[in-house]
Amino acid sequence: KNEVEQSPQNLTAQEGEFITINCSYSVGISALHWLQQHPGGGIVSLFMLSSGKKKHGRLIATINIQEKHSSLHITASHPRDSAVYICAAPSGAGSYQLTFGKGTKLSVIP
Amino acid sequence: NAGVMQNPRHLVRRRGQEARLRCSPMKGHSHVYWYRQLPEEGLKFMVYLQKENIIDESGMPKERFSAEFPKEGPSILRIQQVVRGDSAAYFCASSPHQQGNTEAFFGQGTRLTVV
């Protein structure tokens, strides 16, 4: 079963800072998900990526399949980016079950 | 195209009562997944359903919990005789194909509080 680890657990940043959240997993997979959860809110899918890099606005996600590692970057962070960011990977190769990291709680201070 | 709709958003039940959580997948999606998020813990897989079929319920407690996805209507997660430990956020996700290598679309969740 895939073990998904995220770091850091908590992150406080000043508005405008560049933010990096890391995710590592133990079982080779073909795609990894990054999700966002606001306090008391639902879960929004940010990215699903299987190789290289994806960009959406100020968010960038990268993945290194060989090293079993992915990063989520936020450029020019803003208080509205404050949320919990979760990475999720299939439990095994070809599995439909997702294993989730415990999340990174990001607080961006004005 | 409305997203994944879950209701109710908040549900309070007394110990011993039944809780029914509903999930309407996105239009065109026939795969539904239920996840549970306990306080201060990550999301955990509970059950995977397709229309009228339970594909995998390995993450769901054997007793008191059941799920269905009928031909017509929403998917239902049912918890009988609720206990305090059932208090959690329950999320539903849907996809057009098997999740894993397909983008996941999640609902807003139902926050169950057992008093």
Side-chain angles (χ1 to χ4, degrees):
Chain A
K1 192 184 169 203
N2 220 338
E3 304 276 338
V4 178
E5 300 284 340
Q6 276 186 248
S7 63
Q9 250 186 306
N10 293 283
L11 181 56
T12 300
Q14 290 288 331
E15 184 174 354
E17 281 185 9
F18 180 83
I19 286 157
T20 295
I21 299 169
N22 296 297
C23 175
S24 60
Y25 51 93
S26 58
V27 175
I29 51 163
S30 54
L32 181 129
H33 302 253
W34 280 101
L35 310 168
Q36 180 193 56
Q37 184 178 23
H38 282 284
I43 295 171
V44 175
S45 175
L46 297 175
F47 295 103
M48 188 193 74
L49 67 164
S50 53
S51 65
K53 180 166 86 173
K54 281 191 176 180
K55 186 174 189 286
H56 186 233
R58 294 180 295 105
L59 299 177
I60 303 165
T62 63
I63 189 167
N64 185 319
I65 294 289
Q66 285 74 32
E67 294 189 3
K68 299 187 180 68
H69 181 269
S70 177
S71 293
L72 177 69
H73 306 283
I74 305 175
T75 61
S77 59
H78 190 276
R80 65 173 172 265
D81 297 326
S82 298
V84 176
Y85 293 84
I86 303 166
C87 73
S91 297
S95 174
Y96 49 77
Q97 274 196 36
L98 291 179
T99 299
F100 298 81
K102 289 194 174 170
T104 295
K105 186 175 180 181
L106 171 65
S107 301
V108 181
I109 300 168
Chain B
N1 186 8
V4 178
M5 304 299 291
Q6 286 189 250
N7 67 80
R9 291 287 306 275
H10 300 274
L11 182 61
V12 179
R13 284 285 177 267
R14 294 187 185 281
R15 280 179 294 171
Q17 290 186 318
E18 179 181 284
R20 278 187 181 235
L21 288 62
R22 293 175 188 76
C23 168
S24 296
M26 284 183 72
K27 189 176 179 182
H29 288 191
S30 58
H31 300 251
V32 166
Y33 306 79
W34 284 93
Y35 299 93
R36 179 163 67 174
Q37 186 178 43
L38 290 165
E40 306 303 320
E41 289 190 25
L43 288 148
K44 297 279 195 290
F45 167 82
M46 295 183 75
V47 61
Y48 164 34
L49 309 106
Q50 289 183 33
K51 280 286 186 183
E52 300 184 271
N53 289 304
I54 297 174
I55 307 302
D56 180 355
E57 56 184 351
S58 60
M60 201 159 64
K62 296 276 186 285
E63 295 181 0
R64 303 186 298 106
F65 284 73
S66 63
E68 63 177 11
F69 188 14
K71 190 176 176 182
E72 302 289 337
S75 175
I76 307 280
L77 179 67
R78 184 179 175 210
I79 311 172
Q80 294 178 290
Q81 298 175 313
V82 295
V83 300
R84 288 237 169 92
D86 297 331
S87 295
Y90 293 82
F91 288 93
C92 162
S94 74
S95 63
H97 311 291
Q98 275 192 358
Q99 214 171 61
N101 297 332
T102 304
E103 186 175 359
F105 296 88
F106 286 81
Q108 291 288 310
T110 293
R111 280 148 183 87
L112 171 67
T113 303
V114 179
V115 296

